[in-house]
Amino acid sequence: MKSVSLTAFSRSVVKRTGVKKLRSAGRVPAVIYGGQTKPQNLEIGVKDLENVVHHSASENVLLDLAVNGASHLALIKEIQHNPLTGEMLHVDLHAVSANEKVTISVPVEPTGEAVGVKTGGGVLEHVVFKLKIRATPKDLPEVIYVDVAALEIGKSIHLSEITLPPGVEALGKKNILVFTVAAPVTEAQEAAAEAAAGPAEVEMIKEKKEDGEAAPAKAGDKAAEKAPAKGDEKKPAEKKK
Amino acid sequence: MHRGSRAGMATSCNTVAFGEYGLQCLERAWIDTKQIEAARVAINRFMKRRGKVWIRVFPQKSFTKKPLETRMGKGKGPLESWVAVVKPATVMFEVDGVTEAIAREAMRLAATKLPISMKFISRHRLG
């Protein structure tokens, strides 16, 4: 992974109000930690950061960070976004050494159209979206591309079958399913699924009135309600007398 | 009855997690079973058995209502329906295995069945 140069400034504001003002001024709050450096609060120009992220294939970017004259090699560990607008809220930077191996999660993307999808009408299922890998910063790939062109219906690609770039080691179980081609859904299967997925009728607890009783009750609702009440009131009064 | 709080934005279920494209809420509402089902049917009819659909919300909240022309009192009303509480940023539906144009149209049709404004989003939205 090639490093991209970016300028950051040290940040003194840490509270919510200050950080909000910072964002409205076109800066993104950031923090750098890891390696030999002490954790340091930073601020980065939002335009510069967006420019870097939008020109890379994923959010895994190796930065050559210049902070007040000092230079750091850092990986973007996490970018917090506003879930609605996508606006960048905060950036975590991981200071790394050029020769030390680091562990990151890299997105996996399929290339080509699977035979099972093209001719058989199947559906390519993308099961794992990110792979945990370990490598030195210069060997880290931005994205791992997997050729799925030869996949037929019912066939799968597991982690052990993925060819990684030299110097990159995949972590985790090797039998993890990454891509598979599922058989197309037939009309009968869809009908059965719809019948099963349809909302079960909500059991309504309502007072059921028989046809014969319902009509007079409606006509003389007030009378019907008041009549027993009056009777009840009178009875204790009579007893008092 | 306690109607709960719908304040704030969705803190979970707010990203595309399973598929490639999603339908995100921009407002808060109670979405009832009929609306969810109508939206699901609209997506499936347009996609014609291609691709895969995920429904990310479930109507787990019940609400009651007094019958019409009934006087107050006499206890709690009967169960009316079940709803899913959605807040801004909730991803309600996801699809995969279809082109963006098909997914966009399917989601547009689903959004017409819902009482709130929605937004089409993609997994690859960066920044």
Side-chain angles (χ1 to χ4, degrees):
Chain A
M1 194 188 290
K2 281 182 186 173
S3 64
V4 184
S5 54
L6 187 72
T7 311
F9 309 92
S10 59
R11 168 168 61 98
S12 55
V13 288
V14 287
K15 299 261 177 169
R16 190 180 182 183
T17 323
V19 167
K20 273 188 171 180
K21 280 180 187 164
L22 202 71
R23 287 192 192 112
S24 60
R27 295 277 177 94
V28 183
V31 63
I32 186 167
Y33 50 79
Q36 304 297 321
T37 56
K38 274 182 84 177
Q40 191 183 355
N41 290 331
L42 303 172
E43 55 186 73
I44 305 171
V46 70
K47 286 268 169 78
D48 298 339
L49 192 62
E50 276 179 359
N51 199 25
V52 167
V53 173
H54 290 173
H55 283 90
S56 64
S58 73
E59 284 187 353
N60 291 323
V61 186
L62 187 63
L63 298 173
D64 197 2
L65 206 66
V67 187
N68 303 336
S71 179
H72 299 276
L73 194 64
L75 270 168
I76 294 181
K77 184 95 171 170
E78 188 197 6
I79 300 180
Q80 291 173 20
H81 294 279
N82 180 319
L84 212 54
T85 59
E87 174 198 1
M88 288 183 190
L89 299 177
H90 187 268
V91 186
D92 273 25
L93 301 167
H94 185 200
V96 291
S97 161
N99 306 319
E100 258 182 48
K101 284 191 172 181
V102 288
T103 305
I104 62 164
S105 290
V106 180
V108 194
E109 293 287 338
T111 56
E113 194 176 3
V115 178
V117 177
K118 207 173 183 179
T119 58
V123 179
L124 178 71
E125 287 188 5
H126 197 156
V127 183
V128 172
F129 290 96
K130 281 190 170 182
L131 286 182
K132 211 172 219 186
I133 59 165
R134 190 167 168 78
T136 53
K138 68 175 175 51
D139 292 334
L140 286 173
E142 283 186 18
V143 181
I144 295 172
Y145 292 104
V146 180
D147 186 14
V148 295
L151 268 188
E152 292 172 10
I153 289 177
K155 301 285 178 191
S156 315
I157 292 179
H158 295 85
L159 178 56
S160 56
E161 297 159 37
I162 294 175
T163 317
L164 295 169
V168 178
E169 172 197 357
L171 304 176
K173 289 180 181 174
K174 302 292 177 215
N175 59 355
I176 292 173
L177 190 65
V178 182
F179 292 103
T180 183
V181 176
V185 183
T186 61
E187 279 184 37
Q189 281 175 329
E190 197 189 39
E194 273 192 17
E201 282 297 315
V202 178
E203 196 182 322
M204 300 293 180
I205 307 160
K206 282 180 181 169
E207 287 176 19
K208 286 179 184 174
K209 289 175 184 173
E210 284 179 21
D211 288 347
E213 288 173 6
K218 266 189 181 177
D221 251 350
K222 287 178 184 175
E225 278 175 21
K226 282 178 183 174
K230 275 182 183 174
D232 290 345
E233 281 169 9
K234 276 179 184 175
K235 274 179 189 173
E238 280 169 12
K239 277 178 188 175
K240 276 179 188 175
K241 281 177 184 176
Chain B
M1 76 187 262
H2 179 62
R3 293 182 188 266
S5 167
R6 302 188 320 196
M9 290 215 288
T11 53
S12 63
C13 255
N14 58 12
T15 53
V16 179
F18 300 99
E20 196 69 31
Y21 306 104
L23 190 62
Q24 193 179 40
C25 299
L26 298 179
E27 293 170 58
R28 61 197 81 242
W30 279 5
I31 309 290
D32 73 17
T33 49
K34 286 177 193 167
Q35 290 163 341
I36 296 173
E37 179 63 9
R40 185 191 70 82
V41 169
I43 295 172
N44 282 344
R45 279 202 184 145
F46 186 78
M47 291 192 7
K48 290 174 189 164
R49 297 193 302 279
R50 290 168 294 183
K52 201 171 173 184
V53 182
W54 286 266
I55 307 167
R56 300 281 308 277
V57 291
F58 185 81
Q60 56 191 354
K61 184 185 181 72
S62 64
F63 74 95
T64 60
K65 197 177 176 185
K66 285 257 187 190
L68 291 175
E69 297 176 11
T70 314
R71 285 167 181 266
M72 289 299 107
K74 307 288 181 196
K76 194 172 168 77
L79 180 66
E80 178 74 10
S81 183
W82 294 82
V83 292
V85 181
V86 298
K87 295 178 181 182
T90 305
V91 176
M92 279 189 69
F93 295 94
E94 287 184 24
V95 294
D96 197 2
V98 288
T99 61
E100 186 177 343
I102 292 173
R104 204 173 269 278
E105 180 60 13
M107 292 302 190
R108 188 192 67 78
L109 291 169
T112 61
K113 308 290 177 195
L114 299 169
I116 49 174
S117 51
M118 310 290 287
K119 187 168 81 168
F120 177 83
I121 57 167
S122 159
R123 169 178 288 277
H124 295 288
R125 182 184 69 183
L126 290 175

